Amino acid sequence: MKKIGEGWQYGVYDLENGRVLKKFHSPLKSYWVILKDIFPFKQDSIFEIPGFSRGMKVKALESFEILKKKNLPPEWLGNPKFINDLDFEQDKAFPLHDIFSQSEVEEAKGIIDKFVEFNKKLLERGVIDKSFNITKNYGLNSDGEIVLIDIGELFDNPERIKEQCAGRAWAKDYVAGRIANDVAREYFIKEMDKNFESN
């Protein structure tokens, strides 16, 4: 079982059967991952790390409750199968960060169009990924369809959704700024503004 990635919440392990295991970090591991990510502390203080770490677990558990309530199609989420309260298996997908790094502008625009349509379907069901984090929280499955690969940061509260849309969460540097191509990044912001800003 080979480790192929990690975020603030999870380590990702290839099960070599078309599936991955997402294993929730211990508090110590979480501190280390967050520390590496926010260093050299230009935007966030080292003293915020414990709160960030605790918040990750709360967010994940809240998100999984949302999944139970909303009954989203499992294929939208990579067909997750829970092992315990926090750990789960999921279909292996190709993160959009990697896809964009190898894509020409027109291909990237096509993926962005699919992303917008996917999120409109989520919103119709009263759910959003907290910040529409296109490069980190989404991927393409083996059929080339968008899937939400990070299922631990969901909102279903209408007021919180409205705030995220009004605040244009997608335009933040940690979201749009991770799309390396300037033209694709501008296109992403324009399309998100057009489709979500008034929600």
Side-chain angles (χ1 to χ4, degrees), residues 32-45:
W32 175 242
V33 172
I34 296 169
L35 175 70
K36 287 190 300 181
D37 193 50
I38 67 173
F39 183 82
F41 317 118
K42 289 181 180 174
Q43 295 180 345
D44 300 298
S45 161

Side-chain angles (χ1 to χ4, degrees), residues 12-54:
V12 185
Y13 300 86
D14 193 342
L15 296 174
E16 299 179 3
N17 61 357
R19 303 271 288 172
V20 293
L21 170 65
K22 303 256 176 109
K23 189 160 181 57
F24 200 81
H25 293 313
S26 68
L28 188 61
K29 176 67 175 177
S30 172
Y31 283 26
W32 175 242
V33 172
I34 296 169
L35 175 70
K36 287 190 300 181
D37 193 50
I38 67 173
F39 183 82
F41 317 118
K42 289 181 180 174
Q43 295 180 345
D44 300 298
S45 161
I46 191 170
F47 300 108
E48 293 178 273
I49 292 175
F52 287 154
S53 179
R54 286 190 300 274

Side-chain angles (χ1 to χ4, degrees), residues 68-100:
K68 289 175 191 172
K69 285 189 296 182
K70 296 296 183 179
N71 200 27
L72 300 173
E75 61 271 19
W76 292 8
L77 315 167
N79 297 299
K81 178 185 171 190
F82 282 87
I83 296 163
N84 55 42
D85 287 347
L86 291 164
D87 301 340
F88 59 94
E89 289 183 17
Q90 194 177 37
D91 292 341
K92 189 174 181 181
F94 305 96
L96 291 189
H97 179 270
D98 296 341
I99 301 288
F100 284 140

